Amino acid sequence: VNMYRDQTDPNKFFSWINLSTEAVKFRKDDDWVTSWGSTDFPSGVGALGGDNIPVSPAAFYYVTFDTLSGEYNFDAETFYDSIGVIGEGTINADWDTDIYLTQDANDGHMWTGVVELVGGGIKFRANSEWTTSWGSLDWPMGTGALGGDNIPGEAGTYFVSFNSDSGAYNFVEVGSYSTIGIIGTATPNGWNDPDTDMIQNVDDEALWSLRIELLDGELKFRANDAWDNSWGAADFPTGTGELNGTVNIPVTAGDYIITFNSITGAYNFKAIVEYDFIGIIGKSSPFANWDDDVEMTKDVDDINLWTATDVVLTEHTGEDDSGVKFRVDRDWATNWGAVEFPSGLGTAGGPNIVCAAGTWAVAFNSGTGEYAFSEGSGTENLLNPADLKVFPNPANEILNMDLTAAELTGTVQLHVIDLTGKIVIRKTIDTQQLNTLNISALDGGTYLVNITSEDYLISKRFSVAR
């Protein structure tokens, strides 16, 4: 069962896999010439040609292995269909009805939601049953123990976060704010009043945004131009601010679009880099060389979105210099490539995109590296991958999809593509029916789900655990 290479360290590999109560080893290149083993479980140091690793209990594991040191770890993971808050302290005031939390699209253990409490005992429980529940005597944050005590909830409306792996939970009271601003040495006014106010989203009062030129320095978010409620953290450019925490957010000078959620504390500083020219280049391009670019068109509303239509690509199977890349200003100083086709996430200086022959509409996002090659010439917009939520991730039998944030309606084409570029699922479906996808026939591994309409294209990476 092939593992995935860690992109930050070529010696490290990882995988998710269901294991039975037997034995396993690590081996290289599907051959017994080089293998590692040990008698230790769930963690240890594999020796070359060592013993079989005994596995117990049977479970779904996240496995890591370092070929340089031989270190390995098997971390048993349990995923649940639902997690709810229940108890006399909820607005339902009973021990029979759950208030369900939402599973994170990228972390199957993390659950969040806004919950109204009336005061009294509460617990977390899984799958609407008392087989698995968590509790503690700590409030408003703590670590729930399996079958533990009732949590002494206090009346109020809270943003709740719960980790079903560690049991860690937090109840943060939700406030309604007239203004949210940024303040600090990275902002125009420094730590002096007034704040630089952000713009509130018309559809969600908890979401705030701002485009601004920032200086080298630090800042915090704060509400109503006062220090009663402020948020800070040590992470940049993304993180989750701690309410009334003492840490300031370190900032590198630049032009940013800032987003902030006053319920969750989540923030993002997206650097704005505007390019004058981006082209498609490569032996598989219409020019059939690595010197001349096919010019792409910059979107008038989004400086990161680039498109090209009716691009004729050729296939050069088995040739080292085949494929295409995206590059800036007809120069190799800034370029993107990847192994996936027809859609994927390009990385700076990445490998050539080995493509299939045909006439393609091409979309590229220079802010995220997302790209897509769509059959025909109608694709005009590459949608933000964040607008498509897939969960749980990794998935096993069913992949849930949420397209409510995307501007996709009507009939769409859905393709699931493996990392070799092979289309393994192909559907024509109405977006109103696009809620779940049966992936039970897929092998374990990483895939892209690619959804296209006449005017839009969106793609998202997900993993299948076996």
Side-chain angles (χ1 to χ4, degrees):
V1 176
N2 290 335
M3 304 180 72
Y4 307 110
R5 188 186 298 273
D6 189 323
Q7 296 301 307
T8 63
D9 188 335
N11 298 308
K12 293 182 178 180
F13 293 78
F14 65 94
S15 184
W16 291 269
I17 185 172
N18 275 313
L19 296 177
S20 60
T21 308
E22 294 292 346
V24 297
K25 274 191 172 183
F26 299 95
R27 71 173 187 174
K28 179 182 176 183
D29 298 333
D30 300 325
D31 193 285
W32 287 111
V33 173
T34 305
S35 68
W36 297 261
S38 169
T39 58
D40 296 323
F41 185 86
S43 61
V45 177
L48 286 169
D51 295 308
N52 297 340
I53 301 169
V55 176
S56 182
F60 177 61
Y61 289 94
Y62 174 65
V63 186
T64 58
F65 179 61
D66 188 323
T67 59
L68 188 62
S69 67
E71 293 178 285
Y72 61 83
N73 186 59
F74 292 76
D75 185 15
E77 299 197 357
T78 302
F79 294 100
Y80 302 102
D81 294 329
S82 68
I83 294 289
V85 179
I86 192 170
E88 63 194 34
T90 71
I91 195 172
N92 297 322
D94 63 44
W95 291 96
D96 299 312
T97 311
D98 295 82
I99 298 175
Y100 294 105
L101 303 178
T102 300
Q103 188 179 37
D104 188 275
N106 297 308
D107 184 348
H109 297 302
M110 183 58 65
W111 302 77
T112 59
V114 176
V115 174
E116 185 176 350
L117 301 180
V118 296
I122 55 175
K123 279 190 173 185
F124 297 95
R125 73 171 182 173
N127 302 335
S128 303
E129 297 177 346
W130 286 110
T131 305
T132 305
S133 67
W134 298 262
S136 167
L137 293 175
D138 296 324
W139 172 265
M141 60 188 300
T143 301
L146 285 168
D149 296 299
N150 298 341
I151 301 169
E154 297 180 4
T157 301
Y158 298 90
F159 174 76
V160 184
S161 59
F162 176 69
N163 189 305
S164 59
D165 185 38
S166 67
Y169 62 84
N170 193 16
F171 289 77
V172 178
E173 192 161 14
V174 173
S176 181
Y177 307 112
S178 301
T179 65
I180 293 288
I182 54 172
I183 188 170
T185 57
T187 71
N189 297 328
W191 290 108
N192 302 312
D193 295 333
D195 298 2
T196 303
D197 286 339
M198 304 182 73
I199 300 170
Q200 189 174 35
N201 187 290
V202 295
D203 297 318
D204 188 339
E205 66 177 13
L207 298 182
W208 304 76
S209 63
L210 176 69
R211 179 171 179 177
I212 188 173
E213 189 84 26
L214 295 175
L215 308 171
D216 284 325
E218 55 188 18
L219 59 76
K220 278 190 171 182
F221 298 94
R222 72 173 184 172
N224 303 333
D225 297 306
W227 287 109
D228 295 337
N229 293 287
S230 66
W231 296 262
D235 300 318
F236 181 84
T238 62
T240 300
E242 179 185 356
L243 182 61
N244 295 327
T246 59
V247 180
N248 301 328
I249 301 169
V251 175
T252 302
D255 187 8
Y256 295 95
I257 294 176
I258 308 173
T259 55
F260 176 69
N261 188 310
S262 58
I263 291 179
T264 67
Y267 60 82
N268 182 50
F269 292 76
K270 181 180 179 181
I272 302 299
V273 179
E274 184 168 1
Y275 299 112
D276 295 324
F277 176 93
I278 286 183
I280 305 166
I281 188 170
K283 189 171 182 179
S284 296
S285 77
F287 294 111
N289 63 48
W290 290 96
D291 299 308
D292 301 302
D293 298 75
V294 177
E295 183 174 358
M296 303 188 76
T297 301
K298 187 192 306 186
D299 189 278
V300 294
D301 298 317
D302 189 335
I303 61 173
N304 290 319
L305 296 184
W306 297 78
T307 57
T309 58
D310 298 318
V311 179
V312 179
L313 300 179
T314 55
E315 186 175 4
H316 297 270
T317 304
E319 298 182 24
D320 292 339
D321 63 345
S322 64
V324 295
K325 279 191 170 186
F326 300 95
R327 72 171 182 173
V328 174
D329 295 336
R330 299 181 176 86
D331 189 272
W332 288 108
T334 304
N335 69 88
W336 298 264
V339 298
E340 297 96 345
F341 183 86
S343 61
L345 181 65
T347 57
N352 301 343
I353 303 168
V354 179
C355 47
T359 301
W360 303 86
V362 188
F364 177 67
N365 188 315
S366 60
T368 65
E370 291 275 344
Y371 63 84
F373 294 77
S374 177
E375 295 174 307
S377 59
T379 299
E380 297 174 0
N381 294 288
L382 174 64
L383 295 180
N384 186 343
D387 289 342
L388 172 60
K389 299 185 184 303
V390 296
F391 56 95
N393 193 4
N396 190 295
E397 301 292 329
I398 299 295
L399 182 71
N400 299 299
M401 289 180 286
D402 181 359
L403 271 167
T404 55
E407 299 178 29
L408 273 173
T409 58
T411 302
V412 296
Q413 302 293 322
L414 180 145
H415 293 161
V416 174
I417 306 144
D418 67 18
L419 293 187
T420 69
K422 179 183 177 182
I423 297 175
V424 293
I425 296 177
R426 186 193 302 264
K427 286 181 176 289
T428 300
I429 192 170
D430 190 277
T431 52
Q432 292 184 344
Q433 301 173 314
L434 195 58
N435 300 313
T436 61
L437 183 66
N438 189 329
I439 57 170
S440 59
L442 299 183
D443 294 330
T446 301
Y447 297 85
L448 289 167
V449 56
N450 190 34
I451 300 171
T452 59
S453 68
E454 183 177 352
D455 297 319
Y456 292 100
L457 185 147
I458 191 168
S459 61
K460 192 82 168 188
R461 187 188 299 248
F462 70 95
S463 296
V464 174
R466 290 283 180 263

